[in-house]
Amino acid sequence: MAPQITTRSSVEVATTPVLSNDIETVDLIEANIVASGANKKTVRVVNGLGSLMGSKEITQLDDSITAKVQPSTTTSGEKLHISEQPWTLNNWHQHINWLNMVLTVFIPAIGFYFALSGKVPVRKNVVLFALFYYVASGITITAGYHRLWSHRAFEARWPLRLFFAILGAANVQGSIKWWGHSHRIHHRYTDTPRDPYDARRGLWYSHMGWMLMKPNPKYKARADISDLNDDWIVRFQHRHYIPIMILTAFVFPTWVVGKYISPGDYMAGFIYAGILRVFAIQQATFCINSLAHFLGDQPFDDKRTPRDNWITALVTFGEGYHNFHHEFPTDYRNAIKWYQYDPTKLFIYATSILGLALNLKTFDANVIQQGIVQQQEKKVNKMKNKLHWGPTLDELPVWDKKEFVEQAQLNKNLVVISGIIHDISNYIPEHPGGESLIKQALGKDATRAFQGGVYRHSTAAQNVLSELRVAVLKENGNAAMNFVKRRGEQFDKNKFE
Amino acid sequence: MAPQITTRSSVEVATTPVLSNDIETVDLIEANIVASGANKKTVRVVNGLGSLMGSKEITQLDDSITAKVQPSTTTSGEKLHISEQPWTLNNWHQHINWLNMVLTVFIPAIGFYFALSGKVPVRKNVVLFALFYYVASGITITAGYHRLWSHRAFEARWPLRLFFAILGAANVQGSIKWWGHSHRIHHRYTDTPRDPYDARRGLWYSHMGWMLMKPNPKYKARADISDLNDDWIVRFQHRHYIPIMILTAFVFPTWVVGKYISPGDYMAGFIYAGILRVFAIQQATFCINSLAHFLGDQPFDDKRTPRDNWITALVTFGEGYHNFHHEFPTDYRNAIKWYQYDPTKLFIYATSILGLALNLKTFDANVIQQGIVQQQEKKVNKMKNKLHWGPTLDELPVWDKKEFVEQAQLNKNLVVISGIIHDISNYIPEHPGGESLIKQALGKDATRAFQGGVYRHSTAAQNVLSELRVAVLKENGNAAMNFVKRRGEQFDKNKFE
Ligand code: HEM
Ligand code: HEM
Ligand SMILES: [Fe+2]
Ligand SMILES: [Fe+2]
Ligand SMILES: [Fe+2]
Ligand SMILES: [Fe+2]
């Protein structure tokens, strides 16, 4: 099964519009084909097992990719796909993706059985090696599979790429090619039916459900991964994925432990540095699709589910700052604050100093700050809308002086401050400055006394005031407008013109 | 020296304006006289030492109180007040308030001498008693002197008031009457020359400088404390302040320690539970005038210096939330969040359950939240103004379709999105979605592709876009207006009408 490599054909795009007085619109069908990479001759690089942990149903392309998703129908005679049928005693086994079940559930279960039953006792050095190998292999997913290949956040020279590709297989998460492909689909279709780990379907679905069950082929999607196919290391790893995976995930740690770490202890190497380490890395990675879409803050945008949280970051070498990551996917960092935990970023930075990585991409700091400010503004506005702020200038009736004097005969508790008339009946006993002082103002214009002549009242006092408003004084309309303007209130200036 | 008590005469205020068509203005002179309490017959309650730690110069009232503060002048023949003269070798001793110097510096110095020289060794039980007595006497300042008497934040029955008055003297901070008076002046004149501890004159001045130096009588002020004079406990304490102070501050702790805590150890009682405890409480209290106006956040308003910080709160039983306190002085709480340290609040609450305190005042929660929101809004706006946001709709030239098609001949990198024309020349290589996709849009209208037809771009992408704006498309003016409106941008809608 030799791969058929074709060189990447650059897209031919019409950049010169025909001179007419109308503007051409981007052709959505064509653009979607470009986005899916279907305009390029597909590089067929296959391996024996198909796409490990991926299901053909969600990665194969046909023409329907650009069509709108149709609700499934039972009226047509066609047989429904298994994912659209209810689970029954007869068909449950057809719902399940047994390969993934074996790789992510059964094998780890065997590992746990040997570990917990005490059949394979473990020595401290073996645990230490398993941890070390956890870090060494795990970083190839976050720095390599994810930030380098899925997002082109930086470029890497071949020795580093080879390291990522070889040790990357030790995580049993599929080849770079498959992983990058479904990850790009996830970014493009986040929170839609085409998102492979659609967080809207619940925590469990986005954690493992999506890979343990057969997906609906109706929602299959494809992404352009021609740049990955252009990389001989990616092709090499994909083609020889099974042997590389078996060697690096299981054989190598078993051998190292039995030979050097704890001589003769091959079984401990296999269980702890092999099976259980793989289980830990898989679960940590799955957390990015589940927890990081459920738990934490959204400091950059809240249009979609991704969230920043340090718990996921801890077990994934910094990938838990997922709200940032979905907003700024090509940034080689996931965390930008010094106190946030993102060792993958530091690792990439270190390799760049060694000359192994280059062109580390960061998003424009201005754009990043804009996201933060907009989110905070939203929060403030939400809080603002929960409070009551008294009537606006536009909502108030307008009285002239004569009317005020008449009204003041009926209600002795009217006070004019900055052109606005207030009824302070209920506030007199509450006044922090005392009753006798506030009573000085009854029926009068207390602007100067209130604004500094006796006491320069706080913003809080101005807020109290705004809830006591009953009318605007016609002759002092300008004062009223200036006052509410300084308070940042909106109003229609035509009212007093 | 028998006190001349007069009953409180309620203020006569003109509440019925004469019927005319003009509105009377609050008479500032009159209102200031009411604010200073000068309209009431003064209760003369005197004690031998005058106002301990207060200087007559800042508390005596004359007619100048309502006059504007004049800059001092050397042209007039009058002799300048000592506070306006430079410090020289000849006059330095006249600058100093020696009574306060003795009470807050010399006596503590003697205490430290005995403690540090090892002449008065201390046993654990004595330290524990000194701490206990620190808490018992300290709480009378925060709950009694401050929140009850200075701010009327609640009412207290006589046994509790008596406890506050008697143990309050043990802090050597002057009588309730004097303390409440200068504290009310501080609130009314915060950050002005009449503020006794004017924070604008520096940390040291507001901590102790103000009481160790003679103040300028030009800035003397008075506050209405007729309600304090109405309280027989306040009068009693003021009249007998000196003996009560000597008994509670020094004699009592000396006796308790020597008799019960560490038999025979009278000297340790005097030094540790007397002198050094007083020193600690004084310093803690002074921190509210100094640190609490310098260190910390301003979550409620930033018009004035007071700040919230937990360090001051720790040593003052919760008085460190000073930004809140200056905004909402009659609230019996200084901290409103459960995780903030305000044991004085809890103490008051506990006494209210015992029936010793009643009518605990709190500020309207809506008004408190308004302050928080307004402060956050200010912060957000400050951040917003630091960023660049691209040209607004009003700043852009308007092109019609014909013009666009012509311009697109000259610059191939123009793209229309939502009625706005962008020049994406520099962004093509940066595009996270890849170069080939963004190139699909050159010279075209990419609105649908950008807004979901191919990919539903994030808010971050919209922000990037706004910096690439070059013109508005006349025919799509409405789309452009809707778009920037959704983004919360301001614009003049007349432009396209
Ligand atoms: C008419 C509506 C009024 C409202 C809603 C109001 C509200 C307030 C509030 C909330 C405070 C607490 C401190 C602060 O927020 O800065 C305060 C303090 C004070 N008010 Fe007013 N006030 C009113 C009228 C007046 C008038 C007419 C006078 C004087 C003639 C006056 C004199 C004072 C003084 C002297 C204080 C300082 C009290 C202290 O902190 O010791 N107020 N007022
Ligand atoms: C013209 C100005 C454009 C700007 C400023 C822009 C900006 C961006 C940005 C910032 C992202 C990162 C993800 C996000 O923020 O949501 C992104 C992703 C993307 N863009 Fe654009 N874009 C533009 C035009 C286009 C056009 C015309 C297309 C399609 C024809 C397109 C297709 C995509 C796709 C498919 C992604 C997803 C990539 C991924 O996350 O895997 N973009 N774009
Ligand atoms: Fe995600
Ligand atoms: Fe990603
Ligand atoms: Fe203060
Ligand atoms: Fe206060």
Side-chain angles (χ1 to χ4, degrees):
Chain A
M1 273 195 265
Q4 304 157 249
I5 316 280
T6 58
T7 55
R8 184 180 180 185
S9 63
S10 71
V11 199
E12 284 306 311
V13 185
T15 48
T16 327
V18 193
L19 251 200
S20 88
N21 281 350
D22 215 351
I23 302 172
E24 215 183 319
T25 303
V26 173
D27 183 328
L28 292 185
I29 306 270
E30 194 185 331
N32 272 298
I33 289 170
V34 174
S36 70
N39 57 323
K40 296 167 190 168
K41 290 215 184 69
T42 316
V43 181
R44 279 182 35 83
V45 187
V46 287
N47 59 39
L49 257 177
S51 302
L52 193 62
M53 288 168 46
S55 298
K56 285 203 188 98
E57 284 86 344
I58 53 169
T59 55
Q60 266 177 5
L61 178 80
D62 67 20
D63 294 339
S64 77
I65 193 148
T66 55
K68 285 249 167 65
V69 172
Q70 303 285 344
S72 74
T73 160
T74 43
T75 53
S76 82
E78 290 176 56
K79 201 166 168 283
L80 286 174
H81 183 265
I82 179 70
S83 66
E84 294 175 305
Q85 297 173 29
W87 289 59
T88 64
L89 276 177
N90 289 326
N91 75 3
W92 67 270
H93 59 278
Q94 295 172 24
H95 274 280
I96 287 173
N97 179 328
W98 288 102
L99 172 60
N100 290 344
M101 187 64 93
V102 167
L103 290 170
T104 63
V105 179
F106 290 171
I107 295 183
I110 294 172
F112 274 109
Y113 169 74
F114 279 106
L116 298 176
S117 65
K119 289 218 169 76
V120 184
V122 65
R123 294 181 42 211
K124 196 176 132 211
N125 280 351
V126 177
V127 172
L128 287 179
F129 174 76
L131 279 178
F132 164 79
Y133 200 49
Y134 174 93
V135 174
S137 54
I139 198 89
T140 66
I141 291 287
T142 60
Y145 273 47
H146 186 221
R147 302 194 196 182
L148 172 67
W149 277 302
S150 300
H151 293 298
R152 291 174 294 231
F154 62 103
E155 288 160 34
R157 297 202 189 282
W158 71 262
L160 185 59
R161 296 210 315 279
L162 201 60
F163 165 74
F164 286 157
I166 301 296
L167 270 199
N171 302 296
V172 196
Q173 302 198 2
S175 69
I176 299 157
K177 186 176 139 102
W178 175 80
W179 204 103
H181 185 241
S182 60
H183 192 77
R184 285 186 187 173
I185 292 170
H186 166 62
H187 272 267
R188 185 173 161 206
Y189 292 111
T190 313
D191 302 335
T192 74
R194 285 206 173 115
D195 180 353
Y197 354 111
D198 189 358
R200 302 170 315 156
R201 295 183 65 179
L203 189 69
W204 171 244
Y205 182 84
S206 61
H207 192 70
M208 292 185 72
W210 68 277
M211 85 177 73
L212 294 181
M213 295 185 303
K214 295 238 178 78
N216 193 332
K218 212 161 53 192
Y219 300 130
K220 73 187 153 202
R222 241 187 73 173
D224 181 5
I225 49 164
S226 52
D227 55 320
L228 301 187
N229 289 328
D230 287 349
D231 184 343
W232 68 265
I233 290 180
V234 174
R235 294 195 307 268
F236 168 83
Q237 195 234 32
H238 189 74
R239 196 180 329 142
H240 304 294
Y241 181 72
I242 305 292
I244 300 175
M245 184 266 275
I246 291 172
L247 278 172
T248 55
F250 304 108
V251 177
F252 175 74
T254 304
W255 173 74
V256 171
V257 167
K259 187 92 182 173
Y260 301 104
I261 307 290
S262 176
D265 229 355
Y266 291 100
M267 194 61 187
F270 180 60
I271 298 294
Y272 295 98
I275 289 177
L276 293 185
R277 175 195 54 82
V278 167
F279 173 76
I281 292 189
Q282 284 179 342
Q283 291 298 320
T285 311
F286 300 162
C287 279
I288 301 168
N289 300 329
S290 55
L291 267 197
H293 281 254
F294 283 88
L295 184 76
D297 306 321
Q298 306 195 298
F300 303 98
D301 199 14
D302 58 9
K303 274 204 328 204
R304 297 179 293 205
T305 53
R307 286 159 188 274
D308 276 11
N309 79 68
W310 56 267
I311 297 170
T312 320
L314 263 188
V315 292
T316 58
F317 313 117
E319 302 275 39
Y321 303 99
H322 208 55
N323 189 256
F324 179 91
H325 174 64
H326 269 263
E327 283 295 289
F328 311 109
T330 47
D331 199 306
Y332 84 97
R333 309 161 301 176
N334 268 14
I336 49 169
K337 300 259 166 69
W338 62 266
Y339 54 82
Q340 290 173 325
Y341 180 76
D342 184 1
T344 300
K345 164 182 81 179
L346 301 178
F347 176 83
I348 295 170
Y349 188 75
T351 58
S352 81
I353 288 174
L354 300 176
L356 289 167
L358 53 165
N359 292 337
L360 275 49
K361 278 196 208 146
T362 55
F363 247 78
D364 181 35
N366 187 62
V367 173
I368 295 174
Q369 288 302 317
Q370 284 176 329
I372 296 175
V373 170
Q374 286 163 331
Q375 276 299 98
Q376 293 190 349
E377 198 173 18
K378 268 191 226 168
K379 262 193 216 155
V380 167
N381 286 336
K382 215 185 249 168
M383 279 175 70
K384 236 175 149 170
N385 291 335
K386 272 197 205 136
L387 303 174
H388 42 106
W389 295 84
T392 65
L393 216 52
D394 297 336
E395 288 162 7
L396 291 174
V398 179
W399 295 354
D400 59 15
K401 283 189 178 180
K402 194 160 160 285
E403 210 167 345
F404 172 78
V405 175
E406 281 164 22
Q407 294 280 350
Q409 286 293 306
L410 307 171
N411 178 352
K412 305 226 172 295
N413 297 315
L414 298 184
V415 174
V416 181
I417 292 175
S418 300
I420 301 177
I421 299 153
H422 308 85
D423 181 345
I424 63 170
S425 311
N426 298 325
Y427 196 67
I428 295 174
E430 304 272 319
H431 184 229
E435 290 201 23
S436 54
L437 262 176
I438 202 171
K439 280 185 179 158
Q440 296 268 311
L442 298 182
K444 299 186 189 159
D445 186 320
T447 310
R448 285 190 59 211
F450 183 89
Q451 304 288 17
V454 176
Y455 175 60
R456 188 163 159 261
H457 282 79
S458 66
T459 311
Q462 323 261 5
N463 291 337
V464 169
L465 216 47
S466 69
E467 301 212 50
L468 307 177
R469 292 173 184 176
V470 290
V472 193
L473 195 62
K474 192 170 184 189
E475 290 86 347
N476 292 13
N478 268 328
M481 286 194 293
N482 286 335
F483 176 69
V484 302
K485 207 177 192 173
R486 268 203 314 278
R487 281 179 53 76
E489 297 179 29
Q490 304 280 343
F491 62 95
D492 181 4
K493 43 183 172 222
N494 301 324
K495 188 161 182 172
F496 303 95
E497 271 168 11
Chain B
M1 275 194 266
Q4 304 158 250
I5 316 280
T6 58
T7 55
R8 184 180 180 184
S9 62
S10 71
V11 199
E12 284 305 310
V13 186
T15 47
T16 328
V18 194
L19 251 200
S20 88
N21 279 349
D22 215 350
I23 301 171
E24 215 184 321
T25 302
V26 173
D27 183 329
L28 291 187
I29 306 271
E30 194 186 332
N32 271 298
I33 288 172
V34 174
S36 70
N39 58 323
K40 297 169 190 167
K41 290 213 186 71
T42 317
V43 181
R44 280 182 35 83
V45 185
V46 287
N47 59 40
L49 258 177
S51 301
L52 193 64
M53 286 168 48
S55 299
K56 286 203 186 95
E57 283 86 345
I58 53 170
T59 54
Q60 266 176 3
L61 178 81
D62 67 20
D63 294 340
S64 77
I65 194 149
T66 55
K68 285 248 165 66
V69 172
Q70 304 287 342
S72 72
T73 161
T74 42
T75 54
S76 80
E78 291 174 54
K79 201 168 168 286
L80 286 174
H81 182 264
I82 180 69
S83 66
E84 295 176 304
Q85 297 173 30
W87 289 59
T88 66
L89 276 178
N90 289 325
N91 75 3
W92 66 269
H93 58 277
Q94 295 172 23
H95 274 281
I96 287 173
N97 179 328
W98 288 102
L99 171 62
N100 290 344
M101 185 65 91
V102 168
L103 289 170
T104 63
V105 179
F106 290 171
I107 294 183
I110 294 170
F112 275 107
Y113 168 75
F114 279 107
L116 299 176
S117 64
K119 289 217 169 78
V120 185
V122 65
R123 293 178 46 208
K124 194 177 132 210
N125 279 351
V126 177
V127 172
L128 287 179
F129 173 75
L131 279 178
F132 164 78
Y133 200 48
Y134 174 94
V135 173
S137 54
I139 198 92
T140 66
I141 290 287
T142 60
Y145 272 48
H146 186 221
R147 303 194 195 181
L148 171 66
W149 278 303
S150 300
H151 293 298
R152 292 176 291 230
F154 62 102
E155 288 160 34
R157 298 203 188 280
W158 72 263
L160 184 59
R161 294 208 319 278
L162 200 61
F163 166 74
F164 286 157
I166 300 297
L167 270 198
N171 301 295
V172 195
Q173 301 198 1
S175 68
I176 298 158
K177 186 176 141 102
W178 175 79
W179 204 104
H181 185 241
S182 60
H183 192 76
R184 286 187 187 173
I185 293 171
H186 167 61
H187 272 268
R188 184 171 162 207
Y189 292 112
T190 313
D191 302 336
T192 74
R194 286 204 174 116
D195 180 352
Y197 354 111
D198 188 358
R200 303 169 315 158
R201 297 182 66 177
L203 190 67
W204 172 244
Y205 182 83
S206 61
H207 192 69
M208 293 185 73
W210 67 276
M211 85 179 70
L212 294 180
M213 296 185 303
K214 295 237 179 79
N216 192 333
K218 214 161 53 192
Y219 301 131
K220 70 188 155 201
R222 242 186 74 174
D224 181 4
I225 48 165
S226 51
D227 55 320
L228 301 188
N229 288 328
D230 287 348
D231 185 342
W232 68 266
I233 290 180
V234 173
R235 293 196 307 267
F236 168 83
Q237 196 234 30
H238 188 73
R239 199 178 326 143
H240 304 294
Y241 182 70
I242 304 292
I244 299 175
M245 183 265 274
I246 291 174
L247 278 172
T248 55
F250 304 109
V251 178
F252 175 72
T254 305
W255 174 73
V256 171
V257 167
K259 187 93 180 171
Y260 301 103
I261 307 291
S262 175
D265 228 355
Y266 291 99
M267 194 62 187
F270 180 60
I271 299 295
Y272 295 98
I275 291 177
L276 293 184
R277 174 195 55 82
V278 167
F279 172 76
I281 292 189
Q282 285 179 340
Q283 292 298 319
T285 310
F286 300 161
C287 280
I288 301 168
N289 300 329
S290 55
L291 268 196
H293 282 255
F294 282 88
L295 185 76
D297 306 322
Q298 305 194 299
F300 303 98
D301 198 14
D302 58 8
K303 274 206 324 206
R304 297 179 294 202
T305 53
R307 284 158 189 275
D308 275 9
N309 79 68
W310 57 266
I311 297 169
T312 320
L314 264 187
V315 292
T316 57
F317 313 117
E319 302 275 39
Y321 303 100
H322 208 56
N323 190 255
F324 179 90
H325 174 64
H326 269 262
E327 284 296 290
F328 311 109
T330 47
D331 199 305
Y332 83 97
R333 310 162 299 177
N334 267 14
I336 50 170
K337 300 261 166 68
W338 63 266
Y339 54 82
Q340 291 173 323
Y341 179 76
D342 184 1
T344 299
K345 164 182 81 180
L346 302 178
F347 175 83
I348 294 170
Y349 188 74
T351 57
S352 80
I353 288 175
L354 298 176
L356 289 167
L358 54 162
N359 291 338
L360 275 51
K361 280 196 205 144
T362 55
F363 247 79
D364 181 37
N366 187 61
V367 172
I368 294 175
Q369 289 301 317
Q370 284 176 330
I372 296 175
V373 169
Q374 286 163 330
Q375 276 300 98
Q376 293 190 350
E377 198 172 20
K378 268 191 226 168
K379 262 192 216 156
V380 167
N381 286 336
K382 216 183 247 170
M383 279 175 70
K384 235 175 152 173
N385 292 333
K386 273 197 204 137
L387 304 174
H388 42 104
W389 294 85
T392 64
L393 215 53
D394 296 336
E395 290 162 4
L396 292 174
V398 180
W399 295 355
D400 60 14
K401 283 189 177 178
K402 193 159 163 284
E403 209 167 344
F404 172 79
V405 174
E406 281 164 23
Q407 293 282 351
Q409 285 295 305
L410 307 170
N411 177 353
K412 304 226 173 294
N413 296 316
L414 298 184
V415 173
V416 180
I417 292 176
S418 300
I420 302 177
I421 299 153
H422 308 84
D423 180 346
I424 63 170
S425 310
N426 298 325
Y427 197 68
I428 295 172
E430 305 272 319
H431 184 230
E435 291 200 22
S436 54
L437 261 177
I438 202 171
K439 279 184 179 158
Q440 296 268 312
L442 298 181
K444 297 187 190 160
D445 187 321
T447 310
R448 283 190 59 212
F450 184 89
Q451 305 288 18
V454 176
Y455 175 60
R456 187 163 161 263
H457 282 79
S458 66
T459 312
Q462 321 262 6
N463 290 338
V464 169
L465 215 49
S466 68
E467 302 212 49
L468 307 176
R469 293 173 183 176
V470 289
V472 192
L473 196 61
K474 192 170 181 187
E475 291 85 348
N476 292 13
N478 268 330
M481 284 194 294
N482 286 335
F483 176 69
V484 302
K485 207 176 190 173
R486 267 203 313 279
R487 282 178 51 76
E489 297 180 29
Q490 303 282 341
F491 61 95
D492 180 4
K493 41 183 174 227
N494 301 324
K495 188 162 182 171
F496 302 96
E497 271 167 11

